[in-house]
Amino acid sequence: MKNLFTLLAAMAFYLCGSAQTIIKPYEIELKDSIFYQVQTAVFIIDKQDVEDYFKGLDTILPQRKYSKDVFRNIQFLHLNPEEVQRHYKMVSKFWAANKSNPMNYSTDRITLFWNDNETVLMPYLDEILPDLLEGGKIQVVDRSTNKRVQKYEMNFEEVGVKSYKIFKFIKGRIMWRESEVFVEQMSTVGN
C-alpha cells in the first residue's frame, strides 16, 4: 500500500511538472507597435506596455541604487551600478526621442549591448517579453506561414534549480524560451 501511494505521488508530481498552459492573445487593436522578430515568430508589442515598463523602472532603479539584480537578463549580469545607470540613461534618452517612430527588431542581426542606436532597447524588450507573452498581451505571427497565431502554449523547463518559461506554437515548435535570455549558457569541453 505504501508503494502505491508513492507511485501515485510520483505520477501526480510528473503531471504537475509537465503541465502546459494554452494562451489566447487578446484581440487588442494595436495602434502603435514594436515588431520583434525571432527565429520562428514575429512578436507585435504594444508601445504602451513598453512605456509602462519604463515608468516603473524610473522608480525602481533609483530605489534599488541601480542594482543589476533588478534585471534577469544575463546582459546585465556583469554590470556595476554606475554601468546600469549609464545604460538606462542611454535607453531612456533613445526611448524619449524615438517612441513615436516605427520600431523593428530582429534577433537575426547581431546587436551590441552598448550600441548607441535602436538596439539599446533590445535587452529591455527581452526582459518584459515573457510576462507579456504569458498574459496574452502580444500578437504573434508565425514566420513560416505569415499568419497570426490564435493561441500558443506555455511550458516550463528546469535549468539548475530554477524554472523558466518556454513558449511554443500549438504544434510544438518553440517560439521563445526564457532560458536563452536569462541564463548564461555554459559549455564544458571534455579532455
Side-chain angles (χ1 to χ4, degrees):
M1 191 64 131
K2 190 175 186 178
N3 290 341
L4 179 61
F5 285 123
T6 304
L7 178 64
L8 289 174
M11 287 177 58
F13 179 77
Y14 172 76
L15 290 174
C16 289
S18 65
Q20 66 185 20
T21 302
I22 302 296
I23 298 168
K24 185 175 180 185
Y26 290 106
E27 294 290 335
I28 304 169
E29 182 65 34
L30 299 175
K31 297 175 185 146
D32 200 10
S33 306
I34 296 172
F35 292 84
Y36 190 108
Q37 180 176 288
V38 296
Q39 185 176 0
T40 58
V42 176
F43 301 127
I44 305 169
I45 304 167
D46 191 336
K47 284 185 182 176
Q48 186 59 51
D49 289 322
V50 178
E51 177 71 17
D52 294 343
Y53 171 64
F54 282 123
K55 284 179 184 174
L57 282 179
D58 287 341
T59 303
I60 292 168
L61 283 172
Q63 284 177 349
R64 297 213 185 144
K65 298 180 169 89
Y66 293 92
S67 171
K68 64 185 175 194
D69 299 332
V70 170
F71 303 100
R72 296 179 297 158
N73 192 316
I74 62 171
Q75 294 188 68
F76 292 95
L77 184 64
H78 304 293
L79 300 183
N80 63 40
E82 293 79 24
E83 291 169 325
V84 170
Q85 184 177 18
R86 188 173 68 164
H87 196 273
Y88 185 65
K89 283 183 179 180
M90 280 175 53
V91 79
S92 295
K93 191 176 185 179
F94 170 79
W95 181 250
N98 294 287
K99 63 184 169 186
S100 61
N101 297 339
M103 293 185 188
N104 294 293
Y105 294 92
S106 175
T107 57
D108 293 345
R109 296 187 298 258
I110 294 175
T111 61
L112 300 175
F113 187 73
W114 289 103
N115 275 354
D116 191 12
N117 60 29
E118 69 278 354
T119 61
V120 73
L121 188 62
M122 284 184 76
Y124 300 87
L125 295 176
D126 287 336
E127 192 74 24
I128 62 172
L129 200 56
D131 293 333
L132 294 176
L133 280 166
E134 183 178 6
K137 295 182 83 178
I138 290 181
Q139 303 300 316
V140 179
V141 175
D142 185 338
R143 282 184 67 184
S144 67
T145 63
N146 282 333
K147 292 185 180 177
R148 190 171 161 271
V149 174
Q150 300 300 314
K151 57 186 173 181
Y152 51 90
E153 64 184 59
M154 181 183 75
N155 293 309
F156 292 92
E157 68 177 334
E158 301 297 321
V159 178
V161 295
K162 291 187 176 182
S163 286
Y164 294 93
K165 299 169 191 158
I166 299 176
F167 296 93
K168 298 179 177 183
F169 295 103
I170 294 299
K171 294 185 178 180
R173 199 165 35 107
I174 294 174
M175 291 188 320
W176 195 82
R177 70 183 339 137
E178 263 186 329
S179 63
E180 290 178 0
V181 174
F182 299 147
V183 178
E184 191 156 7
Q185 303 297 316
M186 298 187 157
S187 61
T188 56
V189 178
N191 293 338

